[in-house]
Amino acid sequence: MFQRNDTVFMPLVLRLTGIPGLEPVQAWIGIPFCAMYVLALFGNSLLLVAIKSERSLHEPMCLFLAMLGATDVMLSTCILPKMLGIFWFHSPEIDFDACLFQMWLIHSFQCIESGVLLAMALDRYVAICDPLRHAAIFTPQLVTRIGVAVTLRAALLVAPCLILIKCRLKHYRTTVVSHSYCEHMAVVKLAAEDVRINKIYGLFVAFIVLGFDIIFITLSYIRIFVTVFSLPQREARLKAFNTCVAHICVFLEFYLLAFFSFFTHRFGFHIPPYVHILLSNLYLLTKQIRDRVSRIFYCEHVRIVGSLSKY
């Protein structure tokens, strides 16, 4: 690492600030984050064990829930240990390459989760709109291919973000990252060079992943609601509608916070940094809430498929 003209050339180490403006209370903030991590680890581990050991749960929705659970565990594990090291042990340093690797893991897992949520929406679409063909369409082989596809899509689309940073950006104004984990734009903003290509590619990935998934989730639910409101039995309509509302809340929670985090990094100059970073941390560390909601309504999903097959 060399320093010249107030810039740092190829830094070897970066410093994560945690939550700027809330440094005096970061140790207390770490307590609920740690508790959420332990709960997420315990709950998702139970989910994975239950689905693996119980053959009756080897159905598409359960397998998608298992994917979400595994993604949540890995995503939380990528973030929380280092975050607690900052909050509790005043250890903000992180190797530059380790920071890039953490960034790749975080954004890849986010893309994977978005793809799984899309798959869940399509599964619900087939289950409600064409229940008699649901088992024939969503076979275990198809579920496996979906899992592989969303993983490859995420890994391949996020990887160029790291390559562009590593190969294009050589000089940095500072080595202090104003965040509690390595986020793409938080690192790009440190550069003292032209970062337009990095920003453009980040926008491209966001819109090609989130935009694509949101469009098809929306279309799926439009078709679902058309089918639900055309059912002759009021009880069947209410059951299907209630389950759809629960899943829509899950999707909205994911995408609204994702877009808030994404746009405030680029355009939210008047938003206090601690607000943005707190919400980003909550967004990444509370995914077990979505999984729990999905698990609660899974039994209702099974009953709906059975009920709708009669009409």
Side-chain angles (χ1 to χ4, degrees), residues 191-253:
E193 303 174 61
D194 186 359
V195 297
R196 282 179 294 182
I197 293 178
N198 301 75
K199 290 182 176 180
I200 290 171
Y201 186 76
L203 287 169
F204 168 76
V205 172
F207 283 109
I208 203 69
V209 173
L210 298 183
F212 177 88
D213 293 351
I214 286 176
I215 288 172
F216 279 91
I217 288 172
T218 302
L219 292 175
S220 297
Y221 272 99
I222 289 174
R223 291 284 300 170
I224 286 171
F225 281 125
V226 170
T227 302
V228 167
F229 287 115
S230 65
L231 291 174
Q233 295 292 332
R234 183 173 181 271
E235 182 181 358
R237 288 199 303 268
L238 289 176
K239 284 183 179 180
F241 181 76
N242 289 337
T243 306
C244 291
V245 168
H247 280 264
I248 287 173
C249 291
V250 172
F251 297 139
L252 288 177
E253 188 268 345

Side-chain angles (χ1 to χ4, degrees), residues 96-113:
F96 187 83
D97 291 337
C99 183
L100 294 183
F101 184 60
Q102 185 193 49
M103 178 199 309
W104 178 72
L105 289 176
I106 290 172
H107 293 309
S108 294
F109 288 140
Q110 288 175 307
C111 293
I112 289 171
E113 182 164 30

Side-chain angles (χ1 to χ4, degrees), residues 11-274:
L12 299 178
V13 177
L14 299 176
R15 290 175 58 88
L16 295 165
T17 61
I19 305 177
L22 296 180
E23 289 86 354
V25 295
Q26 284 186 157
W28 297 103
I29 294 174
I31 295 174
F33 282 163
C34 182
M36 285 188 292
Y37 175 69
V38 172
L39 288 174
L41 193 62
F42 180 72
N44 285 313
S45 297
L46 285 180
L47 170 69
L48 295 174
V49 170
I51 292 175
K52 186 177 187 302
S53 59
E54 183 59 49
R55 292 189 61 85
S56 64
L57 296 179
H58 293 180
E59 299 185 16
M61 184 59 72
C62 278
L63 296 177
F64 290 137
L65 287 174
M67 293 179 194
L68 282 181
T71 302
D72 291 348
V73 169
M74 291 185 286
L75 180 56
S76 300
T77 303
C78 289
I79 297 170
L80 200 79
K82 183 59 185 177
M83 186 186 299
L84 294 181
I86 299 169
F87 291 172
W88 290 349
F89 305 108
H90 307 289
S91 176
E93 292 83 10
I94 183 171
D95 290 345
F96 187 83
D97 291 337
C99 183
L100 294 183
F101 184 60
Q102 185 193 49
M103 178 199 309
W104 178 72
L105 289 176
I106 290 172
H107 293 309
S108 294
F109 288 140
Q110 288 175 307
C111 293
I112 289 171
E113 182 164 30
S114 179
V116 175
L117 291 175
L118 171 60
M120 292 173 69
L122 295 176
D123 173 80
R124 189 153 301 275
Y125 162 74
V126 176
I128 293 177
C129 298
D130 196 0
L132 296 178
R133 297 182 59 204
H134 178 262
I137 294 174
F138 275 88
T139 61
Q141 292 78 12
L142 178 62
V143 173
T144 301
R145 290 170 186 166
I146 290 174
V148 172
V150 298
T151 302
L152 288 177
R153 179 186 73 161
L156 295 177
L157 283 175
V158 175
C161 293
L162 280 66
I163 297 171
L164 288 172
I165 292 175
K166 190 71 175 177
C167 297
R168 292 191 68 256
L169 307 181
K170 304 296 184 181
H171 296 86
Y172 292 79
R173 287 188 291 268
T174 179
T175 58
V176 178
V177 182
S178 297
H179 218 302
S180 53
Y181 59 87
C182 292
E183 197 272 345
H184 177 243
M185 281 307 301
V187 175
V188 168
K189 286 179 178 179
L190 305 180
E193 303 174 61
D194 186 359
V195 297
R196 282 179 294 182
I197 293 178
N198 301 75
K199 290 182 176 180
I200 290 171
Y201 186 76
L203 287 169
F204 168 76
V205 172
F207 283 109
I208 203 69
V209 173
L210 298 183
F212 177 88
D213 293 351
I214 286 176
I215 288 172
F216 279 91
I217 288 172
T218 302
L219 292 175
S220 297
Y221 272 99
I222 289 174
R223 291 284 300 170
I224 286 171
F225 281 125
V226 170
T227 302
V228 167
F229 287 115
S230 65
L231 291 174
Q233 295 292 332
R234 183 173 181 271
E235 182 181 358
R237 288 199 303 268
L238 289 176
K239 284 183 179 180
F241 181 76
N242 289 337
T243 306
C244 291
V245 168
H247 280 264
I248 287 173
C249 291
V250 172
F251 297 139
L252 288 177
E253 188 268 345
F254 174 82
Y255 288 110
L256 288 178
L257 284 178
F259 275 112
F260 176 84
S261 177
F262 176 80
F263 284 111
T264 50
H265 255 308
R266 290 158 175 81
F267 311 112
F269 304 110
H270 303 295
I271 297 176
Y274 65 86

